[in-house]
């Protein structure tokens, strides 16, 4: 079971909290990332599953909001501190030909990149200590796969799928595409994988599932991408299809636990944020679950890393 701990991100109450914006595209394009820093984060853990077995698999996921900027700000230093077995990255914003050599040749890891056809947009990456049995780029549907939004790594006992779910955008211009096409096709993809081996799905899923998952639910509901009923419903369908939100399974009532803060209005300092980043696991992996940690003190992007620990 996870060790007793206080929330890394404490709930902040403000008299007039400004509306928090949900997405990278809307809020952060003009703002440089803060220099990567762990701010005294303790990366050690003695977490165990319910049977008392210690974790032996650690997976980290981070929307880095541009891998080149993240690298310049010593983002790789986080990997050295966290030491994940698998490190999943979203929003690399980097074409295949421009992937930094330091990332392609990251010491101790096999590296995989799925870049969007459009330069400086979306993109995912996966770094793995153990070489996967197989790696797949995209979900096998052309209309989705030109944006580089998913990578699947197959291992002996499970799949790891990392994805950067499409943002519904300003004015919700991509809401129908996201909820009626992408979400439905991705769920079918995950269910197909799950019929073969358990699945660990992680990344920036661009949805706050419950009111507890964002600081200002009332002012954002059905107005801001990431918190519309259509997006909520599609994510609920995932959880009704044999998958579990691992963080809420462990911490159903933990408030102020966010993974994204707009750069505007000192939102991170005030902890006016959103939980947009998840580890969603197959139900049959719940007995293996030890902990899910939000590294809210780790700087370097408008998102922070999240970490899953399993006893496999």
């Amino acid at each position: 079971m996870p060790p007793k701990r206080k929330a890394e991100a404490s709930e902040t109450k403000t008299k007039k909290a400004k509306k928090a914006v949900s997405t990278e595209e809307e809020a952060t394009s003009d703002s440089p990332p803060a220099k990567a820093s762990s701010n005294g984060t303790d990366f050690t853990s003695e977490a165990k599953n319910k049977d008392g077995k210690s974790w032996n698999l650690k997976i980290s996921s981070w929307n880095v909001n541009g891998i080149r900027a993240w690298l310049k700000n010593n983002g790789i230093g986080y990997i050295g501190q966290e030491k994940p077995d698998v490190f999943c990255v979203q929003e690399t914003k980097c074409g295949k030909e421009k992937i930094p050599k330091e990332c392609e040749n990251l010491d101790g890891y096999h590296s995989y990149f799925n870049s969007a056809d459009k330069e400086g947009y979306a993109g995912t990456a996966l770094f793995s200590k153990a070489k996967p049995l197989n790696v797949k780029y995209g979900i096998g549907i052309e209309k989705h796969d030109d944006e580089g939004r998913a990578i699947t790594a197959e291992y002996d006992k499970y799949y790891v799928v990392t994805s950067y779910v499409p943002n519904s955008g300003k004015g919700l211009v991509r809401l129908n595409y996201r909820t009626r096409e992408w979400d439905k096709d991705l769920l079918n993809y995950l269910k197909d994988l799950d019929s073969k081996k358990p699945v660990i799905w992680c990344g920036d899923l661009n949805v706050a599932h419950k009111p507890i998952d964002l600081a200002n639910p009332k002012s954002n509901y059905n107005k801001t991408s990431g918190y519309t009923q259509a997006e909520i419903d599609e994510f609920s369908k995932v959880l009704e299809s044999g998958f579990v939100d691992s963080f809420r399974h462990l911490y159903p009532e933990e408030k102020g636990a966010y993974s994204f803060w707009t750069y505007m209005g000192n939102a991170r300092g005030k902890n006016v944020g959103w939980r947009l980043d998840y580890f969603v696991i197959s139900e049959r992996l719940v007995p293996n679950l030890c902990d899910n940690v939000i590294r809210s003190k780790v700087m370097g992007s408008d998102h922070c890393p999240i970490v899953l620990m399993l006893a496999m």
Side-chain angles (χ1 to χ4, degrees), residues 11-281:
E11 184 178 26
T12 300
K13 296 181 180 178
T14 57
K15 292 183 179 179
K16 294 183 179 180
K18 294 183 178 180
K19 175 182 175 182
V21 186
S22 69
T23 84
E24 303 76 7
E25 288 93 337
E26 293 184 14
T28 65
S29 59
D30 297 326
S31 305
K35 189 172 181 62
S37 170
S38 62
N39 289 322
T41 297
D42 181 3
F43 293 96
T44 63
S45 174
E46 297 180 358
K48 299 178 181 180
N49 68 1
K50 286 188 175 181
D51 294 329
K53 185 178 179 181
S54 297
W55 66 268
N56 58 7
L57 175 66
K58 178 190 279 191
I59 304 175
S60 175
S61 177
W62 195 358
N63 178 322
V64 298
N65 193 22
I67 199 167
R68 287 169 288 189
W70 174 82
L71 181 65
K72 289 179 181 178
N73 285 286
N74 192 35
I76 281 181
Y78 162 75
I79 302 175
Q81 293 175 302
E82 189 72 75
K83 299 179 176 62
D85 297 291
V86 182
F87 179 46
C88 299
V89 173
Q90 303 85 45
E91 210 175 1
T92 56
K93 293 183 177 180
C94 190
K96 295 177 182 178
E97 311 80 24
K98 298 181 180 180
I99 298 294
K101 295 298 181 183
E102 299 94 323
C103 295
E104 283 188 330
N105 304 310
L106 185 60
D107 188 38
Y109 289 86
H110 302 274
S111 304
Y112 306 92
F113 301 88
N114 189 12
S115 298
D117 291 349
K118 180 181 176 181
E119 173 60 34
Y121 180 73
T124 47
L126 185 146
F127 303 85
S128 179
K129 286 183 178 179
K131 187 175 182 179
L133 300 176
N134 185 49
V135 175
K136 179 177 179 177
Y137 302 95
I139 61 174
I141 299 176
E142 187 176 355
K143 67 180 178 180
H144 303 314
D145 290 347
D146 61 357
E147 295 185 356
R149 292 189 177 273
I151 299 176
T152 302
E154 179 183 1
Y155 299 90
D156 287 334
K157 298 180 180 180
Y158 51 87
Y159 292 99
V160 173
V161 180
T162 185
S163 67
Y164 176 40
V165 170
N167 193 286
S168 295
K170 291 182 179 179
L172 305 177
V173 293
R174 295 195 85 190
L175 179 63
N176 287 342
Y177 163 72
R178 183 254 171 88
T179 57
R180 297 180 183 178
E181 299 180 50
W182 165 273
D183 284 345
K184 294 183 185 303
D185 290 338
L186 180 64
L187 176 55
N188 288 333
Y189 177 74
L190 294 174
K191 287 165 67 176
D192 180 64
L193 292 179
D194 188 54
S195 69
K196 304 167 188 174
K197 295 180 184 181
V199 173
I200 301 164
W201 175 38
C202 68
D204 177 358
L205 307 191
N206 262 322
V207 63
H209 187 227
K210 300 288 185 180
I212 196 175
D213 292 320
L214 71 165
N216 295 314
K218 290 184 179 180
S219 61
N220 285 287
Y221 180 64
N222 277 337
K223 298 175 183 177
T224 310
S225 58
Y227 197 57
T228 64
Q229 193 59 51
E231 292 163 316
I232 293 166
D233 288 347
E234 291 306 315
F235 189 70
S236 293
K237 290 176 184 177
V238 175
L239 303 184
E240 294 164 0
S241 300
F243 298 96
V244 175
D245 174 355
S246 59
F247 183 83
R248 282 292 168 223
H249 178 82
L250 293 170
Y251 306 107
E253 298 180 2
E254 186 164 320
K255 298 180 180 179
Y258 308 131
S259 63
F260 166 79
W261 307 260
T262 172
Y263 285 125
M264 299 185 295
N266 190 30
R268 193 159 187 171
K270 298 174 183 176
N271 197 31
V272 180
W274 298 59
R275 188 172 72 97
L276 300 178
D277 302 85
Y278 295 74
F279 279 101
V280 175
I281 62 175

